Every structure is written in structure tokens, then in C-alpha cells.
Coordinates of all heavy atoms in Angstrom, one line a residue:
M266 N 13.7 20.5 5.6 CA 12.2 20.3 5.6 C 12.0 18.8 5.7 O 12.6 18.0 5.0 CB 11.6 21.0 4.4 CG 10.1 20.7 4.4 SD 9.4 21.7 3.1 CE 8.2 22.6 4.1
V267 N 11.0 18.4 6.5 CA 10.7 17.0 6.7 C 9.6 16.6 5.7 O 8.7 17.3 5.5 CB 10.2 16.7 8.1 CG1 9.8 15.3 8.3 CG2 11.2 17.1 9.2
S268 N 9.8 15.4 5.1 CA 8.8 15.0 4.1 C 7.5 14.5 4.8 O 7.5 14.1 5.9 CB 9.4 13.8 3.3 OG 8.8 12.6 3.6
Q269 N 6.4 14.7 4.0 CA 5.1 14.4 4.5 C 5.0 12.9 4.8 O 4.3 12.4 5.7 CB 4.0 14.8 3.6 CG 3.8 16.3 3.5 CD 3.2 16.9 4.8 OE1 3.2 16.2 5.9 NE2 2.7 18.1 4.8
D270 N 5.6 12.1 3.9 CA 5.6 10.6 4.1 C 6.3 10.2 5.4 O 5.8 9.3 6.1 CB 6.3 9.9 2.9 CG 5.5 10.1 1.6 OD1 4.3 10.3 1.7 OD2 6.1 9.9 0.5
F271 N 7.4 10.9 5.7 CA 8.0 10.6 7.0 C 7.2 10.9 8.2 O 7.0 10.1 9.1 CB 9.4 11.3 7.1 CG 10.1 11.0 8.3 CD1 10.8 9.8 8.5 CD2 10.2 12.0 9.3 CE1 11.5 9.5 9.6 CE2 10.9 11.7 10.5 CZ 11.6 10.5 10.6
L272 N 6.5 12.1 8.1 CA 5.6 12.5 9.2 C 4.4 11.5 9.3 O 4.0 11.2 10.4 CB 5.1 13.9 9.0 CG 6.1 15.0 9.0 CD1 5.5 16.3 8.7 CD2 6.7 15.0 10.4
R273 N 3.9 11.0 8.2 CA 2.8 10.0 8.3 C 3.3 8.7 8.9 O 2.6 8.1 9.6 CB 2.3 9.8 6.9 CG 1.6 11.0 6.3 CD 1.1 10.8 4.9 NE -0.1 10.0 4.9 CZ -0.7 9.6 3.9 NH1 -0.2 9.8 2.7 NH2 -1.9 9.0 3.9
Q274 N 4.6 8.3 8.6 CA 5.1 7.1 9.2 C 5.2 7.3 10.7 O 4.9 6.3 11.5 CB 6.5 6.8 8.7 CG 6.4 6.3 7.2 CD 7.8 6.1 6.7 OE1 8.7 5.5 7.3 NE2 8.1 6.6 5.5
L275 N 5.6 8.4 11.2 CA 5.7 8.7 12.6 C 4.3 8.7 13.3 O 4.2 8.4 14.5 CB 6.4 10.0 12.9 CG 7.9 10.1 12.6 CD1 8.4 11.5 12.8 CD2 8.6 9.1 13.4
A276 N 3.3 9.0 12.5 CA 1.9 9.0 13.0 C 1.3 7.6 13.0 O 0.1 7.5 13.3 CB 1.1 10.0 12.2
G277 N 2.0 6.6 12.6 CA 1.5 5.2 12.6 C 1.2 4.7 11.2 O 0.8 3.5 11.1
Y278 N 1.3 5.5 10.2 CA 1.0 5.0 8.8 C 2.2 4.1 8.4 O 3.3 4.3 8.8 CB 1.0 6.1 7.8 CG -0.3 6.9 7.9 CD1 -0.7 7.7 8.9 CD2 -1.3 6.8 6.8 CE1 -1.8 8.4 9.0 CE2 -2.5 7.5 6.9 CZ -2.7 8.3 7.9 OH -3.9 9.0 8.0
G279 N 1.8 3.1 7.6 CA 2.8 2.2 7.0 C 2.6 2.0 5.5 O 1.5 2.3 5.0
L280 N 3.6 1.6 4.8 CA 3.5 1.4 3.4 C 2.6 0.3 3.1 O 2.7 -0.8 3.6 CB 4.9 1.2 2.8 CG 4.9 1.1 1.3 CD1 4.5 2.5 0.7 CD2 6.3 0.8 0.8
T281 N 1.6 0.6 2.3 CA 0.5 -0.4 2.0 C 0.6 -0.6 0.5 O 0.6 0.3 -0.3 CB -0.8 0.1 2.4 OG1 -0.8 0.4 3.8 CG2 -1.9 -0.9 2.1
T282 N 0.5 -1.9 0.0 CA 0.5 -2.2 -1.4 C -0.7 -3.1 -1.6 O -1.0 -4.0 -0.9 CB 1.7 -3.0 -1.8 OG1 2.9 -2.2 -1.5 CG2 1.7 -3.3 -3.3
A283 N -1.5 -2.7 -2.6 CA -2.7 -3.5 -2.9 C -2.6 -4.0 -4.4 O -2.4 -3.2 -5.3 CB -4.0 -2.7 -2.7
K284 N -2.8 -5.3 -4.6 CA -2.9 -5.8 -5.9 C -4.4 -6.0 -6.2 O -5.1 -6.7 -5.6 CB -2.2 -7.2 -6.0 CG -2.2 -7.7 -7.4 CD -1.4 -9.0 -7.6 CE -2.3 -10.2 -7.1 NZ -1.7 -11.5 -7.3
I285 N -4.8 -5.2 -7.2 CA -6.2 -5.1 -7.6 C -6.4 -5.9 -8.9 O -5.8 -5.5 -9.9 CB -6.7 -3.7 -7.7 CG1 -6.5 -3.0 -6.3 CG2 -8.1 -3.6 -8.1 CD1 -6.6 -1.5 -6.4
L286 N -7.3 -6.9 -8.9 CA -7.7 -7.5 -10.1 C -9.1 -7.0 -10.5 O -10.0 -6.9 -9.6 CB -7.8 -9.1 -9.9 CG -6.4 -9.8 -9.7 CD1 -6.7 -11.3 -9.5 CD2 -5.5 -9.6 -10.9
Y287 N -9.2 -6.6 -11.7 CA -10.5 -6.1 -12.2 C -10.8 -6.7 -13.6 O -9.9 -7.1 -14.3 CB -10.5 -4.6 -12.2 CG -9.6 -3.9 -13.1 CD1 -10.0 -3.5 -14.4 CD2 -8.2 -3.7 -12.8 CE1 -9.1 -2.9 -15.3 CE2 -7.4 -3.2 -13.7 CZ -7.8 -2.8 -14.9 OH -6.9 -2.2 -15.8
R288 N -12.1 -6.7 -13.9 CA -12.5 -7.1 -15.2 C -12.4 -6.0 -16.2 O -12.8 -4.9 -15.9 CB -13.9 -7.7 -15.1 CG -14.0 -8.9 -14.2 CD -15.3 -9.6 -14.4 NE -15.4 -10.7 -13.4 CZ -14.9 -11.9 -13.6 NH1 -14.2 -12.1 -14.7 NH2 -15.0 -12.8 -12.7
M289 N -11.9 -6.3 -17.4 CA -11.8 -5.3 -18.4 C -13.3 -5.0 -19.0 O -14.0 -5.9 -19.2 CB -10.9 -5.8 -19.6 CG -9.5 -6.0 -19.1 SD -8.4 -6.6 -20.4 CE -8.4 -5.2 -21.5
P290 N -13.6 -3.7 -19.1 CA -15.0 -3.4 -19.5 C -15.4 -4.0 -20.8 O -16.5 -4.4 -21.0 CB -14.9 -1.9 -19.6 CG -13.8 -1.5 -18.7 CD -12.8 -2.6 -18.8
D291 N -14.5 -4.0 -21.8 CA -14.8 -4.5 -23.1 C -14.7 -6.0 -23.2 O -15.4 -6.6 -24.1 CB -13.9 -3.9 -24.2 CG -14.0 -2.4 -24.3 OD1 -15.1 -1.9 -23.9 OD2 -13.1 -1.7 -24.8
H292 N -14.0 -6.7 -22.3 CA -13.8 -8.1 -22.3 C -13.9 -8.6 -20.9 O -13.0 -8.9 -20.2 CB -12.5 -8.5 -22.9 CG -12.2 -8.0 -24.3 ND1 -12.8 -8.5 -25.4 CD2 -11.5 -6.9 -24.7 CE1 -12.4 -7.8 -26.5 NE2 -11.6 -6.8 -26.1
P293 N -15.2 -8.8 -20.4 CA -15.4 -9.1 -19.0 C -14.8 -10.5 -18.6 O -14.7 -10.8 -17.4 CB -16.9 -9.1 -18.8 CG -17.5 -9.1 -20.2 CD -16.4 -8.6 -21.1
D294 N -14.5 -11.3 -19.5 CA -13.9 -12.6 -19.2 C -12.4 -12.5 -18.8 O -11.8 -13.5 -18.3 CB -14.1 -13.6 -20.3 CG -15.5 -14.0 -20.5 OD1 -16.3 -13.9 -19.5 OD2 -15.9 -14.4 -21.6
F295 N -11.8 -11.4 -19.1 CA -10.4 -11.2 -18.9 C -10.2 -10.4 -17.6 O -10.9 -9.4 -17.4 CB -9.7 -10.5 -20.1 CG -9.6 -11.3 -21.3 CD1 -10.5 -11.1 -22.3 CD2 -8.7 -12.3 -21.4 CE1 -10.4 -11.9 -23.5 CE2 -8.6 -13.1 -22.5 CZ -9.5 -12.9 -23.6
L296 N -9.1 -10.7 -16.8 CA -8.8 -9.9 -15.6 C -7.5 -9.1 -15.9 O -6.6 -9.6 -16.6 CB -8.5 -10.9 -14.5 CG -9.8 -11.6 -13.9 CD1 -9.4 -12.5 -12.8 CD2 -10.8 -10.6 -13.4
Q297 N -7.5 -7.9 -15.4 CA -6.3 -7.0 -15.5 C -5.8 -6.7 -14.1 O -6.6 -6.7 -13.2 CB -6.7 -5.7 -16.2 CG -5.6 -4.8 -16.5 CD -4.7 -5.3 -17.6 OE1 -5.1 -6.0 -18.5 NE2 -3.5 -4.8 -17.6
T298 N -4.6 -6.5 -14.0 CA -4.0 -6.2 -12.7 C -3.6 -4.7 -12.6 O -3.0 -4.2 -13.5 CB -2.7 -7.1 -12.4 OG1 -3.0 -8.4 -12.5 CG2 -2.1 -6.8 -11.1
Y299 N -3.9 -4.2 -11.4 CA -3.5 -2.8 -11.1 C -2.8 -2.8 -9.7 O -3.4 -3.5 -8.8 CB -4.7 -1.8 -11.1 CG -4.3 -0.4 -10.8 CD1 -3.8 0.4 -11.7 CD2 -4.4 0.1 -9.5 CE1 -3.5 1.7 -11.5 CE2 -4.1 1.4 -9.2 CZ -3.6 2.2 -10.2 OH -3.3 3.5 -9.9
V300 N -1.7 -2.2 -9.5 CA -1.0 -2.2 -8.2 C -1.1 -0.8 -7.7 O -0.7 0.2 -8.3 CB 0.5 -2.6 -8.4 CG1 1.2 -2.5 -7.0 CG2 0.6 -4.0 -8.9
W301 N -1.6 -0.7 -6.5 CA -1.8 0.6 -5.8 C -0.8 0.6 -4.6 O -0.7 -0.4 -3.9 CB -3.2 0.8 -5.3 CG -3.5 2.0 -4.5 CD1 -3.9 3.2 -5.0 CD2 -3.5 2.1 -3.1 NE1 -4.1 4.1 -3.9 CE2 -3.8 3.4 -2.7 CE3 -3.2 1.2 -2.1 CZ2 -3.9 3.8 -1.4 CZ3 -3.3 1.6 -0.8 CH2 -3.6 2.9 -0.5
Q302 N -0.2 1.7 -4.3 CA 0.7 1.8 -3.2 C 0.7 3.2 -2.6 O 0.8 4.2 -3.3 CB 2.2 1.5 -3.6 CG 3.1 1.2 -2.5 CD 4.4 0.7 -2.9 OE1 5.0 1.3 -3.8 NE2 4.8 -0.4 -2.4
D303 N 0.5 3.3 -1.3 CA 0.5 4.5 -0.6 C 0.7 4.2 0.9 O 0.6 3.1 1.3 CB -0.9 5.2 -0.8 CG -0.8 6.7 -0.5 OD1 0.2 7.2 0.0 OD2 -1.8 7.4 -0.8
Y304 N 0.8 5.3 1.7 CA 0.9 5.1 3.2 C -0.5 5.0 3.7 O -1.4 5.9 3.4 CB 1.7 6.2 3.8 CG 3.2 6.1 3.5 CD1 3.7 6.9 2.5 CD2 4.0 5.2 4.2 CE1 5.1 6.8 2.2 CE2 5.3 5.1 3.8 CZ 5.9 5.9 2.9 OH 7.2 5.7 2.5
D305 N -0.8 4.1 4.6 CA -2.1 3.9 5.1 C -2.1 3.3 6.5 O -1.0 2.8 7.0 CB -2.9 2.9 4.2 CG -4.4 3.2 4.2 OD1 -4.9 4.0 5.0 OD2 -5.1 2.6 3.3
L306 N -3.2 3.4 7.2 CA -3.3 2.9 8.6 C -3.9 1.5 8.6 O -5.1 1.4 8.2 CB -4.1 3.8 9.4 CG -3.5 5.1 9.8 CD1 -4.5 6.1 10.4 CD2 -2.4 4.9 10.8
A307 N -3.2 0.5 9.1 CA -3.8 -0.8 9.3 C -4.5 -0.9 10.6 O -4.1 -0.2 11.5 CB -2.7 -1.9 9.2
P308 N -5.6 -1.6 10.7 CA -6.2 -2.6 9.8 C -7.3 -2.0 9.0 O -7.9 -2.7 8.2 CB -6.6 -3.7 10.8 CG -7.0 -3.0 12.0 CD -6.1 -1.8 12.1
R309 N -7.7 -0.7 9.3 CA -8.9 -0.2 8.6 C -8.6 0.3 7.2 O -9.5 0.4 6.4 CB -9.5 0.9 9.4 CG -10.0 0.4 10.8 CD -10.9 1.5 11.4 NE -11.3 1.0 12.7 CZ -12.4 0.4 13.0 NH1 -13.3 0.1 12.0 NH2 -12.8 0.0 14.2
F310 N -7.4 0.7 6.9 CA -7.0 1.2 5.5 C -7.9 2.3 5.0 O -8.5 2.1 3.9 CB -6.9 0.0 4.6 CG -5.9 -1.1 5.0 CD1 -6.4 -2.3 5.5 CD2 -4.6 -0.8 5.0 CE1 -5.5 -3.3 5.9 CE2 -3.7 -1.8 5.5 CZ -4.1 -3.0 5.9
P311 N -8.0 3.4 5.6 CA -8.9 4.5 5.1 C -8.5 5.0 3.7 O -9.4 5.3 2.9 CB -8.8 5.5 6.2 CG -7.6 5.3 6.9 CD -7.3 3.8 6.8
E312 N -7.2 5.1 3.4 CA -6.7 5.6 2.1 C -7.1 4.6 1.0 O -7.5 5.0 -0.1 CB -5.2 5.8 2.2 CG -4.8 6.9 3.2 CD -5.3 8.2 2.9 OE1 -5.5 8.6 1.8 OE2 -5.6 8.9 3.9
L313 N -6.9 3.3 1.3 CA -7.3 2.3 0.3 C -8.8 2.3 0.0 O -9.2 2.3 -1.1 CB -6.8 0.9 0.7 CG -7.2 -0.2 -0.2 CD1 -6.6 0.0 -1.6 CD2 -6.7 -1.5 0.4
H314 N -9.6 2.4 1.1 CA -11.0 2.5 0.9 C -11.4 3.7 0.1 O -12.3 3.6 -0.7 CB -11.7 2.4 2.3 CG -11.8 1.1 2.9 ND1 -12.6 0.1 2.4 CD2 -11.1 0.5 3.9 CE1 -12.5 -1.0 3.1 NE2 -11.5 -0.8 4.0
R315 N -10.8 4.8 0.4 CA -11.1 6.1 -0.4 C -10.8 5.8 -1.9 O -11.6 6.2 -2.7 CB -10.2 7.2 0.2 CG -10.7 8.6 -0.2 CD -10.0 9.7 0.5 NE -10.3 9.6 2.0 CZ -9.4 9.5 2.9 NH1 -8.1 9.5 2.6 NH2 -9.7 9.4 4.2
F316 N -9.6 5.2 -2.2 CA -9.3 4.9 -3.6 C -10.3 3.9 -4.2 O -10.7 4.2 -5.3 CB -7.9 4.3 -3.7 CG -7.5 3.9 -5.0 CD1 -7.2 4.9 -6.0 CD2 -7.5 2.6 -5.4 CE1 -6.9 4.5 -7.3 CE2 -7.2 2.2 -6.7 CZ -6.9 3.1 -7.6
L317 N -10.7 2.9 -3.5 CA -11.6 1.9 -4.0 C -13.0 2.6 -4.2 O -13.7 2.2 -5.2 CB -11.7 0.7 -3.1 CG -10.4 -0.1 -3.0 CD1 -10.6 -1.2 -2.0 CD2 -10.0 -0.7 -4.4
D318 N -13.4 3.5 -3.4 CA -14.7 4.2 -3.6 C -14.6 5.0 -4.8 O -15.6 5.1 -5.6 CB -15.0 5.1 -2.4 CG -15.4 4.3 -1.1 OD1 -15.7 3.1 -1.3 OD2 -15.3 4.9 0.0
F319 N -13.5 5.7 -5.1 CA -13.3 6.4 -6.3 C -13.3 5.5 -7.5 O -14.0 5.8 -8.5 CB -11.9 7.1 -6.3 CG -11.4 7.6 -7.6 CD1 -11.9 8.7 -8.2 CD2 -10.5 6.8 -8.3 CE1 -11.5 9.1 -9.5 CE2 -10.1 7.2 -9.6 CZ -10.6 8.4 -10.2
W320 N -12.7 4.3 -7.4 CA -12.7 3.4 -8.5 C -14.1 3.0 -8.9 O -14.5 3.0 -10.0 CB -11.9 2.1 -8.1 CG -11.7 1.1 -9.2 CD1 -12.7 0.4 -9.8 CD2 -10.5 0.7 -9.8 NE1 -12.2 -0.5 -10.7 CE2 -10.9 -0.3 -10.7 CE3 -9.2 1.0 -9.6 CZ2 -9.9 -0.9 -11.5 CZ3 -8.3 0.4 -10.4 CH2 -8.6 -0.6 -11.3
R321 N -14.9 2.6 -7.9 CA -16.3 2.1 -8.1 C -17.2 3.2 -8.7 O -18.0 3.0 -9.5 CB -16.9 1.6 -6.8 CG -16.3 0.3 -6.4 CD -17.0 -0.2 -5.1 NE -16.3 -1.3 -4.5 CZ -15.6 -1.2 -3.4 NH1 -15.5 -0.1 -2.7 NH2 -14.9 -2.3 -3.0
R322 N -16.9 4.5 -8.3 CA -17.7 5.6 -8.7 C -17.3 6.1 -10.1 O -18.2 6.5 -10.9 CB -17.5 6.7 -7.6 CG -18.4 7.9 -7.8 CD -18.2 8.9 -6.7 NE -16.9 9.5 -6.6 CZ -16.0 9.2 -5.7 NH1 -16.3 8.4 -4.7 NH2 -14.8 9.7 -5.7
E323 N -16.0 6.1 -10.4 CA -15.5 6.8 -11.6 C -15.0 5.9 -12.8 O -15.0 6.3 -13.9 CB -14.4 7.8 -11.3 CG -14.8 8.8 -10.3 CD -15.8 9.8 -10.8 OE1 -15.8 10.0 -12.0 OE2 -16.5 10.4 -10.0
L324 N -14.7 4.7 -12.5 CA -14.0 3.8 -13.5 C -15.0 2.7 -13.9 O -15.9 2.3 -13.2 CB -12.7 3.2 -13.0 CG -11.7 4.2 -12.5 CD1 -10.4 3.5 -12.0 CD2 -11.3 5.2 -13.7
D325 N -14.8 2.2 -15.1 CA -15.7 1.2 -15.7 C -15.4 -0.2 -15.3 O -16.3 -1.1 -15.3 CB -15.7 1.3 -17.2 CG -16.4 2.6 -17.7 OD1 -17.2 3.1 -17.0 OD2 -16.0 3.1 -18.8
G326 N -14.1 -0.6 -15.0 CA -13.8 -2.0 -14.8 C -14.2 -2.4 -13.4 O -13.7 -1.9 -12.4
P327 N -15.2 -3.4 -13.4 CA -15.6 -3.9 -12.0 C -14.5 -4.6 -11.3 O -13.7 -5.4 -11.9 CB -16.8 -4.8 -12.4 CG -16.8 -5.0 -13.8 CD -15.9 -4.0 -14.5
L328 N -14.4 -4.4 -10.0 CA -13.4 -5.1 -9.2 C -13.7 -6.6 -9.1 O -14.8 -7.0 -8.9 CB -13.4 -4.5 -7.8 CG -13.0 -3.0 -7.8 CD1 -13.2 -2.4 -6.4 CD2 -11.6 -2.8 -8.2
H329 N -12.6 -7.4 -9.1 CA -12.7 -8.8 -8.9 C -12.2 -9.2 -7.6 O -12.9 -9.9 -6.8 CB -12.0 -9.6 -10.0 CG -11.9 -11.0 -9.9 ND1 -10.9 -11.7 -9.2 CD2 -12.8 -12.0 -10.3 CE1 -11.2 -13.0 -9.2 NE2 -12.3 -13.2 -9.9
S330 N -11.0 -8.8 -7.2 CA -10.4 -9.2 -5.9 C -9.3 -8.2 -5.6 O -8.7 -7.5 -6.5 CB -9.9 -10.6 -5.9 OG -8.8 -10.7 -6.9
I331 N -9.0 -8.1 -4.3 CA -7.9 -7.2 -3.8 C -7.1 -7.9 -2.8 O -7.6 -8.5 -1.9 CB -8.6 -5.9 -3.2 CG1 -9.4 -5.2 -4.2 CG2 -7.5 -5.0 -2.7 CD1 -10.5 -4.3 -3.6
T332 N -5.8 -7.9 -3.0 CA -4.8 -8.5 -2.0 C -4.0 -7.3 -1.5 O -3.4 -6.5 -2.2 CB -3.9 -9.5 -2.7 OG1 -4.7 -10.5 -3.4 CG2 -3.0 -10.2 -1.7
V333 N -4.0 -7.3 -0.1 CA -3.3 -6.2 0.6 C -2.1 -6.7 1.3 O -2.1 -7.7 2.0 CB -4.3 -5.5 1.5 CG1 -3.6 -4.3 2.3 CG2 -5.5 -5.0 0.8
A334 N -1.0 -5.9 1.2 CA 0.2 -6.1 2.0 C 0.6 -4.8 2.7 O 0.5 -3.8 2.1 CB 1.4 -6.6 1.1
H335 N 0.9 -4.9 4.0 CA 1.2 -3.7 4.8 C 2.4 -3.9 5.7 O 2.6 -5.0 6.2 CB 0.0 -3.4 5.7 CG 0.1 -2.2 6.5 ND1 0.6 -2.2 7.8 CD2 -0.1 -0.9 6.3 CE1 0.7 -1.0 8.3 NE2 0.2 -0.2 7.4
S336 N 3.2 -2.9 5.7 CA 4.4 -3.0 6.6 C 4.7 -1.6 7.2 O 4.8 -0.7 6.5 CB 5.6 -3.5 5.8 OG 6.8 -3.4 6.6
Q337 N 4.8 -1.6 8.5 CA 5.2 -0.4 9.1 C 6.7 -0.2 8.9 O 7.5 -1.1 9.2 CB 4.8 -0.4 10.6 CG 3.3 -0.3 10.8 CD 3.0 -0.3 12.3 OE1 3.8 -0.7 13.1 NE2 1.8 0.2 12.6
L338 N 7.1 1.0 8.4 CA 8.5 1.2 8.1 C 9.3 1.6 9.3 O 10.5 1.5 9.3 CB 8.6 2.2 7.0 CG 8.0 1.8 5.7 CD1 8.1 2.9 4.6 CD2 8.6 0.6 5.1
I339 N 8.7 2.3 10.3 CA 9.5 2.7 11.4 C 9.1 1.8 12.6 O 8.0 1.7 13.0 CB 9.2 4.2 11.7 CG1 9.7 5.1 10.6 CG2 9.8 4.6 13.1 CD1 9.5 6.5 10.8
R340 N 10.2 1.2 13.1 CA 10.0 0.2 14.2 C 11.0 0.6 15.3 O 12.0 1.2 15.0 CB 10.2 -1.2 13.7 CG 9.2 -1.6 12.7 CD 9.4 -3.1 12.4 NE 8.5 -3.5 11.4 CZ 8.7 -3.7 10.1 NH1 10.0 -3.6 9.7 NH2 7.8 -4.1 9.3
P341 N 10.8 0.1 16.5 CA 11.8 0.4 17.6 C 13.1 -0.2 17.1 O 13.2 -1.3 16.5 CB 11.3 -0.3 18.8 CG 9.8 -0.5 18.5 CD 9.6 -0.6 17.0
A342 N 14.2 0.5 17.4 CA 15.5 0.0 17.1 C 15.9 -1.2 18.0 O 15.5 -1.3 19.1 CB 16.6 1.1 17.3
E343 N 16.7 -2.1 17.4 CA 17.2 -3.3 18.2 C 18.6 -2.9 18.7 O 19.4 -2.4 17.9 CB 17.3 -4.5 17.3 CG 15.9 -5.0 16.9 CD 16.0 -6.3 16.1 OE1 17.1 -6.9 16.1 OE2 15.0 -6.6 15.4
I344 N 18.8 -3.2 19.9 CA 20.1 -3.0 20.5 C 20.8 -4.3 20.7 O 20.3 -5.2 21.3 CB 20.0 -2.2 21.9 CG1 19.3 -0.9 21.7 CG2 21.4 -2.1 22.5 CD1 19.1 -0.2 23.0
V345 N 22.0 -4.4 20.1 CA 22.8 -5.6 20.2 C 24.1 -5.3 20.9 O 24.8 -4.4 20.5 CB 23.1 -6.2 18.7 CG1 23.9 -7.4 18.8 CG2 21.8 -6.4 18.0
N346 N 24.4 -6.1 21.9 CA 25.7 -5.9 22.6 C 26.8 -6.5 21.8 O 26.8 -7.7 21.4 CB 25.5 -6.6 24.0 CG 26.7 -6.3 24.9 OD1 27.5 -5.4 24.6 ND2 26.8 -7.0 26.0
V347 N 27.9 -5.7 21.6 CA 29.1 -6.1 20.9 C 30.2 -6.3 21.9 O 30.5 -5.4 22.6 CB 29.4 -5.1 19.8 CG1 30.7 -5.5 19.1 CG2 28.3 -4.9 18.8
N348 N 30.9 -7.5 21.8 CA 31.9 -7.8 22.7 C 33.3 -7.5 22.2 O 34.3 -7.6 22.9 CB 31.8 -9.3 23.2 CG 30.6 -9.5 24.0 OD1 30.2 -8.7 24.8 ND2 30.1 -10.7 23.9
G349 N 33.5 -7.2 20.9 CA 34.8 -7.0 20.4 C 34.7 -6.3 19.0 O 33.6 -6.0 18.5
V350 N 35.9 -5.9 18.5 CA 35.9 -5.1 17.3 C 36.9 -5.9 16.4 O 38.0 -6.3 16.8 CB 36.5 -3.7 17.5 CG1 36.7 -3.0 16.2 CG2 35.5 -2.9 18.4
L351 N 36.5 -6.1 15.1 CA 37.3 -6.8 14.1 C 37.6 -5.8 13.0 O 36.7 -5.2 12.5 CB 36.5 -8.0 13.6 CG 37.2 -8.8 12.5 CD1 38.4 -9.5 12.9 CD2 36.2 -9.8 11.9
T352 N 38.9 -5.7 12.7 CA 39.3 -4.7 11.7 C 39.8 -5.5 10.5 O 40.6 -6.5 10.6 CB 40.5 -3.9 12.2 OG1 40.1 -3.2 13.4 CG2 40.9 -2.9 11.2
L353 N 39.2 -5.2 9.3 CA 39.6 -5.8 8.1 C 40.4 -4.9 7.2 O 40.1 -3.7 7.1 CB 38.3 -6.3 7.3 CG 37.4 -7.3 8.0 CD1 36.2 -7.6 7.2 CD2 38.2 -8.6 8.2
H354 N 41.4 -5.4 6.5 CA 42.2 -4.5 5.7 C 41.8 -4.7 4.3 O 41.6 -5.7 3.7 CB 43.7 -4.9 5.8 CG 44.2 -4.6 7.2 ND1 44.7 -3.4 7.6 CD2 44.4 -5.4 8.2 CE1 45.1 -3.5 8.8 NE2 44.9 -4.7 9.3

């Protein structure tokens, strides 16, 4: 059976990591960090936006900033021509 994550990668999804800084509800002068990671489509990031909408609607800590990193995990293979074979003992 093929994993859902693998199928999403074939559909163009890539691993997305978001570092979310938010203000603590009881101490608004302090920032707390939350790391979110899921497969998402760049550059619109619908899954991340869905999560952030949930955050704004359901959680008390107001968002301060979000840093996003995205990498597609499946890329075309590179073909390298090899001219010889080296055997090590």
C-alpha cells in the first residue's frame, strides 16, 4: 500500500515547515515559538493557511510572525556518466 504522503509528493506537494512566533496570552510581552510541518503546495500554501485560520479562530495567542521553508522532496533524477569502476577491499 502506498502512503498518502508519497502520493501527495507525486501530486506536487512538498514538505513545508513554518516557524510561528506568537504572543503568550497571559504575558503579551513574551514570544513563544511553535513549529508546524506538513506537506503543502508552494507558493500559495493552502494547508498552512488552513492551519493559521484555525489558530486565529480557536487559540488565544495572537500571531507575531511566520517564517516558511519549503522543499519539494521528489525531483528529477540526475544521470552521471561513470567511466570506470573502483573496487575497495
Side-chain angles (χ1 to χ4, degrees):
M266 177 170 236
V267 178
S268 110
Q269 289 291 18
D270 291 337
F271 182 72
L272 293 175
R273 291 176 83 185
Q274 290 176 44
L275 291 176
Y278 282 71
L280 187 61
T281 304
T282 304
K284 182 176 81 171
I285 301 168
L286 291 178
Y287 64 96
R288 297 194 183 277
M289 296 181 66
D291 296 339
H292 304 284
D294 291 335
F295 292 103
L296 293 175
Q297 184 72 26
T298 302
Y299 180 83
V300 177
W301 175 88
Q302 194 171 51
D303 201 354
Y304 290 99
D305 209 349
L306 287 169
R309 295 192 183 268
F310 301 109
E312 300 297 327
L313 177 59
H314 282 285
R315 196 170 299 124
F316 175 75
L317 294 175
D318 289 342
F319 163 79
W320 184 297
R321 289 183 192 107
R322 188 177 60 250
E323 302 292 333
L324 302 178
D325 291 333
L328 297 171
H329 176 270
S330 62
I331 301 159
T332 304
V333 178
H335 179 269
S336 174
Q337 291 183 338
L338 297 177
I339 295 182
R340 296 186 181 104
E343 292 183 17
I344 298 175
V345 178
N346 189 9
V347 177
N348 291 328
V350 176
L351 176 64
T352 304
L353 297 175
H354 295 277

